[in-house]
Amino acid sequence: MSSLLFGGLVWAGPTMAQGGAQGGAQGGKNAAPPPEEVVPQVAIVPYDDKLARLAEVLGSVHYLRTLCKAPGADEWRADMQQLLDSETNGEPQRKEKLTAAFNRGYRAFASVYTDCTQAAIVAEERYRNEGATLATEITSRFGN
């Protein structure tokens, strides 16, 4: 309630000041002040760092599984979309951060592996395990 009152006072302040000066640059006309830019609040979520790491892992696994033509390779991208839909609804800045983490994970391996090698298979398995650990930790600690 007080923020609405404060917002109203901030909005009324310039209008009142213009009304008192009839002969200014406006030529005596009362012009409405430009609308204030609304900056969306960034939600602070205690597990966002772990969620960003999970998104990065999902991007890495998606790239590696696609590279190695593993069955269900595209499921990882779908999992990321589900994560975005459930975690960032109405929060474009969080969505942007998680999307960037996914892309960073994808690009990190794309710059190293161009063929499916034994090292790529081992990396995919390790990242899949890390992702499972992160998902379990996030849901057990912060889940409903």
Side-chain angles (χ1 to χ4, degrees):
M1 179 67 154
S2 63
S3 64
L4 288 175
L5 179 60
F6 178 73
L9 290 175
V10 170
W11 185 258
T15 305
M16 289 179 194
Q18 285 180 351
Q22 294 293 324
Q26 298 287 327
K29 296 180 184 176
N30 282 337
E36 293 183 30
E37 184 177 328
V38 177
V39 177
Q41 294 292 340
V42 177
I44 298 173
V45 180
Y47 55 90
D48 260 0
D49 288 341
K50 290 189 183 294
L51 208 57
R53 178 62 186 155
L54 179 59
E56 193 170 346
V57 166
L58 287 171
S60 298
V61 171
H62 173 65
Y63 175 78
L64 291 168
R65 288 185 70 83
T66 302
L67 178 69
C68 293
K69 296 175 182 29
D74 206 41
E75 291 174 12
W76 296 90
R77 183 185 298 246
D79 288 345
M80 182 61 194
Q81 186 59 56
Q82 184 179 1
L83 177 75
L84 290 173
D85 293 344
S86 65
E87 285 292 329
T88 65
N89 189 15
E91 299 175 85
Q93 291 171 326
R94 284 185 72 219
K95 183 176 184 176
E96 184 178 308
K97 178 181 176 184
L98 293 177
T99 301
F102 179 88
N103 291 337
R104 186 172 48 252
Y106 186 94
R107 281 191 224 109
F109 281 96
S111 67
V112 175
Y113 295 105
T114 56
D115 294 315
C116 183
T117 63
Q118 186 59 36
I121 293 168
V122 169
E124 184 272 332
E125 183 179 349
R126 287 182 181 163
Y127 271 69
R128 218 173 354 106
N129 290 335
E130 181 184 352
T133 300
L134 281 166
T136 300
E137 185 179 317
I138 291 168
T139 55
S140 68
R141 187 164 179 207
F142 300 102
N144 293 342

